[in-house]
Amino acid sequence: MGDKMIKRHTVISIFIHWFNAVCWIILLLTGVGLISNTDLNPIGTWWPEMMRNMFGGGESLLWIHVICGSLWIIVFFIFGISGIKGYTIPFIKEILTFSPSNDILWLIKKGIQMTLGYKVMAKLGFEPRIPDQGFYNVGQKMFAIPALLGGIVIGLTGIVMIASKFYVINQAVVQWSILIHFLVVGAVFAGLLIHVFMASIAKGELPALISMFTGTVPAEYAEHHHKLWYDEAKDQVD
Ligand code: HEM
């Protein structure tokens, strides 16, 4: 099998993933800079002050945040609708497909293996084989679902907030939108820290990160990490 490669991501899905990542970074940096309530700001007042100085005040910082957020919503909307059959529905189906007994055991074993290692896993009475997974493992699905739903909620609450600058909107709706926007960003961000750790630092995951640029993974990696998908896709090995 050696250096045989297998197709994992299309150019479009790679583009949309990195577009999303860049937007998230800009939106997080500018968004945290917009929080003027000192009790709410997770990293203190120095960041908002620095961002406001850098961009010439809160108003221009807000507009950078709004323009980036609008672009993010528009691109995702077009991508989601135009790729409804090719990407959107298959992706949603994939992240919503679970096999509870297999997946729970995967979470337990993978957790022990990554933190304590195979030796402790054996001492605890588990055999070393980690249950087989499909295109995404259950950990990835547990991030992808809140990332997708959270993205929708963040987008909708953002639209309410910006619309309230131009139209008269019930104040309670606007206040709830601000709170929900803030809390959901925090929740997705917590998952994002694990996602980025798994993608960039975790041992053995480098082929997945490289595939987010090249579109392919070594067949050996696919068989080891995503056996159920590999069994279906192995005919496409180059
Ligand atoms: C710079 C930061 C990021 C890095 C290094 C990164 C890395 C990766 C990698 C390597 C994959 C492919 C996994 C595979 O093929 O098995 C992936 C997939 C994915 N990424 Fe990211 N990503 C980043 C930012 C984001 C952000 C900001 C989001 C959304 C909030 C996101 C959402 C996803 C989703 C939904 C998938 C597909 C499911 C999954 O693998 O979890 N990523 N990412």
Side-chain angles (χ1 to χ4, degrees):
M1 205 167 2
D3 49 8
K4 296 252 169 75
M5 301 302 281
I6 190 163
K7 180 118 185 107
R8 185 159 173 81
H9 304 289
T10 62
V11 174
I12 305 246
S13 55
I14 293 173
F15 164 77
I16 202 76
H17 177 268
W18 291 121
F19 168 79
N20 183 40
V22 170
C23 287
W24 260 86
I25 293 169
I26 299 173
L27 290 166
L28 274 174
L29 297 181
T30 51
V32 175
L34 286 168
I35 303 172
S36 44
N37 183 336
T38 45
D39 294 334
L40 273 182
N41 201 306
I43 54 173
T45 53
W46 68 273
W47 182 261
E49 276 163 19
M50 190 185 84
M51 290 297 277
R52 279 156 208 250
N53 287 340
M54 220 157 89
F55 292 99
E59 192 66 14
S60 29
L61 190 61
L62 172 66
W63 280 109
I64 296 171
H65 189 79
V66 168
I67 291 167
C68 182
S70 307
L71 189 68
W72 181 66
I73 293 172
I74 292 166
V75 170
F76 262 98
F77 188 75
I78 295 172
F79 174 77
I81 298 291
S82 62
I84 190 105
K85 275 198 187 142
Y87 290 99
T88 318
I89 293 179
F91 177 73
I92 293 173
K93 266 193 188 154
E94 175 63 33
I95 62 174
L96 291 179
T97 305
F98 291 96
S99 152
S101 54
N102 204 40
D103 291 347
I104 291 170
L105 194 60
W106 185 93
L107 283 171
I108 296 170
K109 283 185 146 187
K110 190 75 183 169
I112 299 174
Q113 180 241 317
M114 284 190 67
T115 50
L116 305 167
Y118 280 108
K119 273 191 190 160
V120 176
M121 197 154 104
K123 273 191 193 154
L124 291 171
F126 290 112
E127 46 131 339
R129 190 179 164 80
I130 308 239
D132 294 338
Q133 294 285 290
F135 188 86
Y136 291 127
N137 63 49
V138 60
Q140 291 174 313
K141 290 175 187 175
M142 283 169 62
F143 169 66
I145 297 169
L148 177 67
L149 293 179
I152 295 170
V153 173
I154 293 163
L156 289 176
T157 48
I159 292 172
V160 171
M161 283 188 262
I162 194 61
S164 73
K165 296 227 170 260
F166 301 100
Y167 304 99
V168 180
I169 296 184
N170 185 313
Q171 266 311 298
V173 174
V174 180
Q175 292 302 323
W176 275 108
S177 294
I178 296 171
L179 180 67
I180 293 169
H181 195 79
F182 180 77
L183 293 179
V184 176
V185 169
V188 177
F189 181 69
L192 190 58
L193 292 178
I194 302 173
H195 177 70
V196 175
F197 169 81
M198 290 301 292
S200 52
I201 305 170
K203 214 174 144 219
E205 295 298 333
L206 187 62
L209 182 59
I210 295 173
S211 80
M212 261 339 213
F213 297 95
T214 61
T216 58
V217 282
E220 219 171 330
Y221 166 88
E223 186 173 16
H224 187 252
H225 290 255
H226 303 277
K227 175 87 168 68
L228 305 177
W229 165 63
Y230 172 77
D231 286 344
E232 283 170 16
K234 62 184 168 203
D235 297 342
Q236 303 153 28
V237 171
D238 292 332

